[in-house]
DNA sequence: TTGAAAGCGCTAACAA
DNA sequence: TTGTTAGCGCTTTCAA
């Protein structure tokens, strides 16, 4: 039995079809309050027969509860953020909460715009990548009066709470491992992204440790766009021609590092003897390469999960207090491209 | 000047702060109707000073317009769907529409559940992966009375409209190219996913053409979980040991194909002389490998864009009629692993 | 256990 | 150009 109109069904339709008040229908559909089994059965039957789908818009307005979690990330175009989203999804799946995602393309103005739009849905919480936001964004986040988790990075002060790793420390530790292994002529390759603060912090931590040890980056190159693997290949070739004395290459992400590694192996160059390599992210891809690139896990899935758990805890009834800073500590995966000394 | 209460601001607050009626404030904030410049300025100033963020929940209920597009996809864990999402985002960015995404993990029951939840937000349109849905899903989609675009696949009948490629044809064409190149001892490797209908259709098209030519798949292997690149490596090794006479390996995706390729190159095997290879998807990654895997583009970005364009067109005022079936036609990229004859 | 009334914050429609 | 009224579909609150 289906209504012929195109107007979406309302509670009233179910109420009329079942001969039960709207209020009781609402109770049945939300499993709230006491409803007799007989009534419940009639209502459910009617709802199913009609094909009724509740209207969350109206429900949210009436109850002043919007079970949405706004997720603001810079990009979808490498596996980093999809993996974070997977972590968020995994946790929110078991709750009433549902993520809504917006992408900023690493542009502060766009971040401001999408955050405003997300907040106008009056979400119950926000998960947002990074600690660097415009004043306007920070003001909006504070004014929203909802749990906010800033993710990926913990080098800074959160508006509310944060989950991530210290990218500065990641850079420092990698530098220490490289120096300890005896490499001294170091080249760096990364993305041309002044607004990727996390890459910047890794680089800062990296050069800081080098400097303390009297070592300086010998050569550097940046790319944008294109296949990261291919770019890694090209840049590595160019850099090795330009600076043949280099004995280590540090890449800002695993994909370009893998490209560089494949190039060097092609050339028959001894890795890690003649030259060592390291990337960043700990991408699964590396497991399939002929030789494993040294890297450091960015803890993407775990960050997504923890962030979602914080939001869920803070919104639970009664609310659970959570830590305001969770710093995950990745360790170096030496792989086959960085001597362990 | 900031209110001290935690209660979110409403139009009424802006109205009082600016001395203008709520209705006029609403008009200003939506750039609707005629408002004097003076009034507009006062309202905007007040809204900004207060930090007012409109409530879309209330707006949507009152106007009966919800500018959300529900996007239902099976997975986020390889680059396929994030790329589709990027295409959707690119197009919707220039409209009032905003995507909300849900993931089904290739599980029909979950598809039913998330579709129901999405529809309860009363979105203005739906983009959903695949043509295979439960009766309940199809019923919901029809009853919603909104534009629905089924994406990725065009081998079947859509509820409303579809954008994608013919996976059966993709399989057939690859089989033809392989046979034409003179390969006859063919092995197949893919994911253990009975519910990935697109992979299944490619396989069916593939074997159909082989059969017509009196050729049969000699060996096959399936995997699940883990790093696809590593799995490709392992499976290829195992298969070559088991069936050393094979002269072609067809992979259901590029990542396992790339793993296989790297393995064979490691072994010093002549590709494509002794053995040919092909994958599917046209992933950017391939560009960086020492030798390019033959593949076929799945047109991911384009599918996302076209689907979003259809939704946008159908929702525009006045609505624009669109095609109900857009079949993109990928061509084979022979790369370096499939002889071109 | 059920129902009636009021109202969430906004916008459509109409009036001034 | 601005304001008033009614009501979107649901839930809260209170009464029966």
């Amino acid at each position: 039995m289906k209504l012929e109109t195109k107007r979406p069904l309302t509670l009233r339709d179910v109420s009329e079809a079942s001969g039960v008040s709207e209020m009781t229908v609402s109770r049945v559909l939300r499993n709230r309050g006491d409803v007799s089994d007989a009534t419940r059965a009639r209502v459910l039957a009617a709802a199913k027969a009609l094909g009724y789908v509740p209207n969350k818009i109206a429900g949210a307005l009436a109850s002043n509860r919007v079970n949405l979690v706004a997720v603001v990330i810079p990009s979808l175009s490498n596996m980093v953020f999809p993996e974070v989203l997977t972590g968020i999804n995994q946790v929110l799946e078991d709750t009433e909460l549902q993520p809504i995602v917006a992408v900023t393309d690493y542009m502060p103005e766009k971040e401001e715009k999408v955050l405003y739009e997300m907040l106008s849905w009056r979400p119950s919480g926000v998960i947002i990548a990074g600690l660097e936001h415009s004043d306007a964004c920070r003001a909006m986040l504070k004014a929203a009066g909802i749990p906010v988790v800033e993710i990926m990075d913990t080098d800074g002060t959160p508006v509310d709470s944060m989950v991530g790793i210290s990218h500065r420390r990641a850079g420092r530790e990698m530098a220490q491992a490289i120096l300890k292994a005896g490499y001294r002529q170091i080249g760096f390759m990364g993305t041309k992204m002044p607004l990727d603060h996390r890459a910047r912090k890794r680089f800062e931590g990296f050069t800081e440790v080098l400097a303390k040890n009297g070592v300086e980056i010998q050569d550097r190159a940046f790319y944008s766009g294109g296949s990261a693997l291919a770019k890694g290949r090209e840049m590595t070739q160019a850099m090795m021609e330009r600076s043949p004395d280099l004995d280590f290459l540090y890449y800002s992400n695993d994909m370009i590092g893998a490209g560089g590694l494949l190039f060097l192996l092609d050339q028959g160059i001894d890795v890690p003897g003649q030259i060592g390599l390291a990337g960043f992210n700990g991408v699964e891809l590396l497991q399939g390469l002929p030789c494993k690139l040294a890297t450091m896990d960015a803890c993407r899935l775990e960050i997504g999960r923890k962030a979602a758990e914080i939001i869920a805890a803070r919104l639970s009834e009664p609310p659970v207090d959570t830590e305001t800073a969770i710093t995950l500590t990745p360790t170096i995966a030496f792989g086959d491209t960085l001597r362990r000394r």
Side-chain angles (χ1 to χ4, degrees), chain A:
Chain A
M1 169 102 60
K2 188 81 77 43
L3 278 183
E4 287 307 326
T5 73
K6 247 346 186 179
R7 165 182 65 78
L9 296 162
T10 67
L11 265 190
R12 166 168 225 105
D13 296 309
V14 181
S15 164
E16 285 169 0
S18 62
V20 172
S21 78
E22 282 185 48
M23 196 50 236
T24 300
V25 172
S26 168
R27 281 192 269 251
V28 170
L29 264 24
R30 286 176 298 143
N31 292 311
R32 284 294 206 80
D34 295 323
V35 181
S36 71
D37 286 349
T39 310
R40 169 179 310 278
R42 284 172 60 199
V43 168
L44 289 176
K48 183 149 198 186
L50 293 169
Y52 172 71
V53 177
N55 185 330
K56 285 199 187 188
I57 296 276
L61 182 63
S63 66
N64 197 25
R65 262 191 297 271
V66 185
N67 288 326
L68 292 174
V69 177
V71 179
V72 180
I73 55 176
S75 159
L76 280 171
S77 53
N78 55 47
M79 279 311 289
V80 175
F81 291 101
E83 231 174 285
V84 174
L85 291 183
T86 299
I88 293 173
N89 269 329
Q90 284 177 0
V91 172
L92 295 191
E93 231 163 63
D94 301 329
T95 72
E96 298 282 73
L97 299 166
Q98 189 188 327
I100 47 173
V101 179
V103 171
T104 69
D105 292 322
Y106 287 100
M107 294 162 63
E109 325 83 65
K110 200 163 167 197
E111 178 173 270
E112 220 165 291
K113 186 186 147 221
V114 302
L115 182 59
Y116 183 84
E117 287 184 352
M118 298 260 95
L119 290 179
S120 65
W121 289 106
R122 297 282 188 274
S124 297
V126 176
I127 296 175
I128 183 168
L131 291 164
E132 283 75 21
H133 310 290
S134 68
D135 289 344
C137 281
R138 296 178 69 90
M140 279 192 270
L141 288 170
K142 276 184 188 142
I146 54 179
V148 174
V149 185
E150 288 167 270
I151 57 169
M152 309 313 288
D153 186 7
T154 55
D155 293 322
T157 311
V159 168
D160 178 1
S161 61
M162 60 184 176
V163 180
I165 67 169
S166 165
H167 287 263
R168 251 187 258 282
R169 176 172 163 185
R172 283 198 302 262
E173 290 191 354
M174 189 54 87
Q176 278 151 5
I178 290 168
L179 292 175
K180 199 166 167 196
Y183 300 105
R184 289 295 179 276
Q185 308 297 319
I186 299 168
F188 176 82
M189 285 170 254
T191 44
K192 197 178 289 164
M193 287 246 271
L195 297 172
D196 183 343
H197 298 283
R198 292 172 290 285
R200 195 200 72 224
K201 288 174 184 177
R202 286 197 299 279
F203 185 68
E204 286 171 3
F206 189 74
T207 52
E208 177 197 321
V209 166
L210 294 190
K212 271 190 193 147
N213 289 273
V215 173
E216 227 179 79
I217 298 266
Q218 297 298 308
D219 196 352
R220 65 189 74 192
F222 301 90
Y223 76 101
S224 60
S227 155
L229 205 63
K231 289 286 178 186
R233 211 170 242 287
E234 294 164 22
M235 285 198 296
T236 302
Q237 172 160 30
M239 185 172 287
M240 291 310 295
E241 280 166 9
R242 201 164 56 218
S243 314
D245 292 340
L246 292 178
D247 65 2
F248 202 93
L249 300 174
Y250 182 44
Y251 296 88
S252 82
N253 69 64
D254 285 341
M255 285 301 275
I256 54 173
L261 173 57
L262 289 172
F263 169 76
L264 294 171
L265 293 178
D266 270 7
Q267 302 292 306
I269 291 172
D270 170 24
V271 175
Q274 183 178 344
I275 189 159
L277 302 175
F280 178 82
N281 260 337
V283 301
E284 203 184 42
L285 171 83
L286 302 181
Q287 303 310 315
L289 294 180
C291 155
K292 285 201 191 68
L293 183 70
T295 188
M296 214 160 168
D297 189 8
C299 307
R300 302 174 298 284
L301 196 79
E302 194 57 24
I303 287 174
R305 294 187 58 97
K306 282 256 184 305
E309 279 165 8
I310 291 179
I311 297 284
R314 299 269 300 274
L315 295 174
S316 64
E317 208 56 64
V320 173
D321 259 7
T322 55
E323 293 181 77
T324 62
I326 297 185
T327 303
L328 304 174
T329 52
T331 54
I332 293 182
F334 283 79
D336 310 312
T337 68
L338 171 54
R339 292 189 296 256
R340 193 189 305 251
R341 280 266 174 80

